Amino acid sequence: MIAPMKKVFLVMLDRERDQGLKALRRLGLVHPVPVQGSGAGLEAASAALEEARRAVGILEGVKLPKGFAPEAADEDRGLEVARAVNALSDEEKRLYEEAAALAREADRIAPWGDFDPGLVGELRDAGLELRLVSGPARALAAPPEGWSLVPFAASKDAVRVILAAPPGTPFPESEELREFALPERSLALVSARGREVAGRLAAIGEEYASLAAELPSAKARLAKTERDHRFETLRSGLEAEGAVAWLEGYLPAADYPRLSEEAARRGWGLLADDPADDEAPPTKVESNALVRIIQPIFEFLGTVPGYREYDISGLFLFFFSFFFAMIFGDGGYGSIMLAAALVMALKAKAGTGRVPDMLKLVIVLALSTVAWGVATASWFGIPFDALPALLRNVSIPWINGGNSEATDNVKVLCFAIGTVQLVIAHVKNIRRDWPSPKMLGQLGQFAMVAGMFFMVLNLVISQSKYPIPSWSLALIGGGFAASFVFSNYDGSRGFLKGLVGGVLASLANIVSVFLGVVNVFADIVSYIRLWAVGLAGVAISQTVNNMAGPMLGSAIMAAAGVALLLFGHGLNMIMAVLSVIVHGVRLNVLEFSSHLGMEWSGYKYEPFRDTAPADRAE
């Protein structure tokens, strides 16, 4: 469920804002309304936060060397690590730029060979001016007036020569001649410096590797800087007038008594009220231990229901388990996934004393996949007749591989699951709108979904096997009429005016209203993707088996056959995971959610709290 929220205003003496915010942070209940901070303190906190983020980002990309174990997190040590890592990063950037410049300079000098540029200056002091020039052969067939020409090298595009003359001799201007700018150092010195830079870059890589073990400390430092930055943003952004400052925020209604007690103890002014209709409080989803395991999916998607929307965590988990199992579609894959998840869960339990919710979710999904494999007799793409008798006997004949009509039956099951899910959406909306006449619009949507199920079976699967009952057409027509009249009903204007206004609103959007009927059909048909993607996985499994089968009959090719089986089925499992993300998640957050009217417009409840040890007494 989505926890009810209270909007609160806290008033405190401005001179006590630091102590008050620290106390509020320790309490960890209020989600402040965002404020715009400013000042030198915030700038310093922002700089520290950026420094810590940069260091953690670098260390997360460094592989920990063999034999190195992560050090225990130390917040103070984390500051030293962050500074060391960032200093290395700055040096590394400078060296890479220098290495690139040295490489360009070496390429520029190389055609002229290795020489000491200082000799040119010594010759000038001795009374001889030298110029290194390149150009087309015709332009350098004879030396310019007053200059002697010494041939140096030639290529297809140009010749290179050395021109010599007494100091002060005018050098001829020519668009065809290109004078070589003398380098600051010889090619040998440039190359030597390049090797030094390369060596230092290698050493920096080793220093990064040694610091990688300090990543927990760097993360601890990052957590502290994030807390400090949030504190300073709030502290410097509090509204104030005269001797008082105030803060606006939200907290769960159930936690309000604790805030009230703290406010009374500290002498704060406190005002609380229910959020207004035009306000958007943060969303706190409260779930039991079973339903909570779906939260990693929401966190991965970055989706949060709006405060006034539904918490569909339980329904999402229930249907997602179905979708996952049907898309994976193979009990063998589910068994592998289950075994791996159980091993990781046991290791996590032994190491930390708890099993992460993500692993619990994987176990549930794996069990669902095994159950679907048992029901359909799907095991690593092995044909039904080749399976052991036990696996054939425990399967469900209506949908197993031995039934020639199993394909159509699975399609029917897909459409039935979709219809049930969409019907549930409108039942929830009916409950929401009860007893307003607007609920009749949702009842109409309910009827259209129920009636459209039979039309989908008729048009998509078989007209002879699934004729359209006359009463299903009545459901579609009656449902459309009820939706047309009542979906836009506004009871605040009175019954008659609300009814007329609703009809006029539907007429104004008549194209969208008619397309809504088509959308109901399309949404139910969309669930066929469960069958289609699952079928594709089975086809890949069978193809891999057919390719590897002949190899297994030969002692020479057996190893290659086993490798092909492992690679092919492993790749198929990875593709199935991607398909679940694309299709299994879509049916919940698009088709189902659109019928619920959900926009996932919320943001997460994140109270102002200190997860580090509490501040010392003030």
Side-chain angles (χ1 to χ4, degrees):
M1 62 169 286
I2 294 177
M5 288 282 173
K6 287 284 187 183
K7 184 173 184 178
V8 296
F9 292 88
L10 274 172
V11 181
M12 62 186 71
L13 292 175
D14 191 31
R15 66 173 183 269
E16 296 177 356
R17 70 165 66 188
D18 282 16
Q19 294 88 344
L21 288 177
K22 288 178 182 179
L24 197 63
R25 184 170 64 179
R26 283 195 296 270
L27 192 62
L29 296 177
V30 177
H31 180 120
V33 171
V35 296
Q36 188 67 42
S38 61
L42 182 58
E43 291 177 3
S46 298
L49 176 60
E50 179 58 31
E51 179 185 56
R53 281 177 175 169
R54 181 184 174 200
V56 168
I58 293 171
L59 291 181
E60 284 182 333
V62 178
K63 186 177 180 180
L64 196 65
K66 290 184 178 180
F68 277 74
E71 301 287 343
D74 183 336
E75 194 176 275
D76 295 330
R77 171 63 181 157
L79 175 60
E80 300 175 18
V81 171
R83 289 177 175 172
V85 169
N86 290 331
L88 286 175
S89 178
D90 291 337
E91 182 184 3
E92 184 181 44
K93 181 180 178 181
R94 291 194 302 270
L95 290 176
Y96 272 122
E97 292 174 352
E98 183 180 356
L102 289 169
R104 290 192 299 269
E105 183 70 351
D107 290 341
R108 191 180 74 88
I109 300 173
W112 293 94
D114 187 18
F115 64 93
D116 183 1
L119 292 176
V120 177
E122 293 178 7
L123 290 172
R124 184 183 296 111
D125 295 340
L128 183 63
E129 182 81 21
L130 294 183
R131 300 289 182 95
L132 281 64
V133 179
S134 64
R138 66 178 182 278
L140 292 170
E145 183 179 351
W147 291 82
S148 300
L149 184 150
V150 180
F152 183 80
S155 64
K156 291 181 179 180
D157 302 326
V159 297
R160 286 184 290 278
V161 302
I162 300 174
L163 297 179
T169 303
F171 186 77
E173 295 185 4
S174 172
E175 294 183 356
E176 293 184 311
L177 300 182
R178 296 185 300 275
E179 183 178 0
F180 174 71
L182 291 175
E184 295 181 357
R185 47 190 165 183
S186 67
L187 180 60
L189 292 178
V190 169
S191 299
R193 178 55 186 165
R195 290 190 294 272
E196 290 178 9
V197 170
R200 178 55 188 155
L201 286 171
I204 288 176
E206 294 176 359
E207 290 183 44
Y208 276 147
S210 65
L211 286 169
E214 304 278 6
L215 180 57
S217 294
K219 287 185 174 180
R221 176 65 184 176
L222 174 58
K224 180 183 185 305
T225 58
E226 287 174 341
R227 293 192 304 270
D228 291 347
H229 184 268
R230 191 177 188 189
F231 179 91
E232 188 58 35
T233 300
L234 191 59
R235 189 200 67 79
S236 62
L238 280 189
E239 294 188 60
E241 185 172 343
V244 297
W246 61 90
L247 174 144
E248 179 182 352
Y250 298 93
L251 84 163
D255 292 329
Y256 176 72
R258 292 175 56 196
L259 177 63
S260 179
E261 291 175 5
E262 185 72 11
R265 189 171 71 86
R266 294 186 172 270
W268 297 337
L270 176 61
L271 177 64
D273 199 358
D274 294 328
D277 292 340
D278 60 347
E279 293 175 334
T283 302
K284 181 184 181 183
V285 177
E286 296 179 331
S287 304
N288 58 42
L290 174 60
V291 174
R292 191 177 62 243
I293 65 175
I294 198 63
Q295 288 304 315
I297 298 294
F298 292 135
E299 292 173 2
F300 171 76
L301 297 173
T303 53
V304 180
Y307 176 68
R308 295 177 180 84
E309 294 181 342
Y310 297 109
D311 170 24
I312 62 168
S313 302
L315 290 170
F316 193 108
L317 174 62
F318 178 78
F319 284 104
F320 185 69
S321 299
F322 268 102
F323 302 158
F324 188 98
M326 296 180 73
I327 289 173
F328 255 76
D330 192 289
Y333 291 174
S335 299
I336 293 174
M337 185 167 56
L338 178 61
L342 288 174
V343 169
M344 288 189 288
L346 290 174
K347 289 179 65 177
K349 183 71 174 177
T352 64
R354 60 180 296 273
V355 179
D357 286 341
M358 188 63 194
L359 278 179
K360 294 178 182 178
L361 175 62
V362 172
I363 291 172
V364 170
L365 298 177
L367 287 171
S368 301
T369 306
V370 172
W372 178 255
V374 170
T376 58
S378 299
W379 299 91
F380 297 111
I382 300 173
F384 179 79
D385 295 335
L387 288 172
L390 176 62
L391 296 179
R392 296 198 305 269
N393 293 336
V394 297
S395 63
I396 299 176
W398 190 65
I399 53 175
N400 69 22
N403 184 350
S404 60
E405 297 185 355
T407 296
D408 283 347
N409 294 339
V410 172
K411 293 179 184 177
V412 172
L413 181 60
C414 292
F415 296 142
I417 291 174
T419 301
V420 169
Q421 190 175 31
L422 301 185
V423 161
I424 289 173
H426 293 293
V427 168
K428 290 178 72 68
N429 289 342
I430 290 170
R431 293 179 58 189
R432 177 198 65 196
D433 294 338
W434 176 268
S436 167
K438 189 173 183 177
M439 69 94 179
L440 295 175
Q442 290 298 323
L443 187 61
Q445 293 283 336
F446 177 108
M448 278 198 291
V449 171
M452 200 65 75
F453 170 71
F454 297 95
M455 184 171 287
V456 169
L457 297 183
N458 179 271
L459 297 178
V460 177
I461 299 180
S462 172
Q463 295 182 356
S464 58
K465 287 176 62 176
Y466 301 103
I468 302 175
S470 57
W471 53 265
S472 73
L473 295 176
L475 282 175
I476 296 173
F480 173 78
S483 177
F484 185 88
V485 173
F486 292 102
S487 286
N488 295 302
Y489 172 82
D490 183 3
S492 64
R493 304 168 58 190
F495 176 76
L496 186 58
K497 287 184 178 181
L499 191 63
V500 172
V503 172
L504 291 176
S506 296
L507 288 171
N509 298 283
I510 190 66
V511 175
S512 298
V513 171
F514 277 109
L515 286 177
V517 181
V518 179
N519 286 340
V520 172
F521 178 87
D523 287 345
I524 296 176
V525 171
S526 182
Y527 284 77
I528 202 171
R529 68 183 66 238
L530 300 173
W531 163 79
V533 179
L535 180 65
V538 172
I540 293 174
S541 297
Q542 292 174 345
T543 300
V544 171
N545 292 344
N546 292 336
M547 292 172 63
M551 299 182 185
L552 300 178
S554 167
I556 298 176
M557 298 296 292
V562 171
L564 178 58
L565 284 174
L566 293 175
F567 174 78
H569 285 290
L571 181 62
N572 198 20
M573 290 182 68
I574 294 173
M575 293 174 63
V577 172
L578 296 176
S579 297
V580 167
I581 295 173
V582 173
H583 301 289
V585 170
R586 172 209 163 101
L587 293 174
N588 272 309
V589 300
L590 188 59
E591 276 82 357
F592 182 44
S593 295
S594 66
H595 282 256
L596 283 167
M598 289 184 63
E599 298 179 355
W600 298 95
S601 58
Y603 60 101
K604 189 177 180 181
Y605 165 69
E606 294 180 332
F608 181 52
R609 64 159 57 118
D610 190 352
T611 54
D615 295 310
R616 291 178 174 83
E618 301 149 21

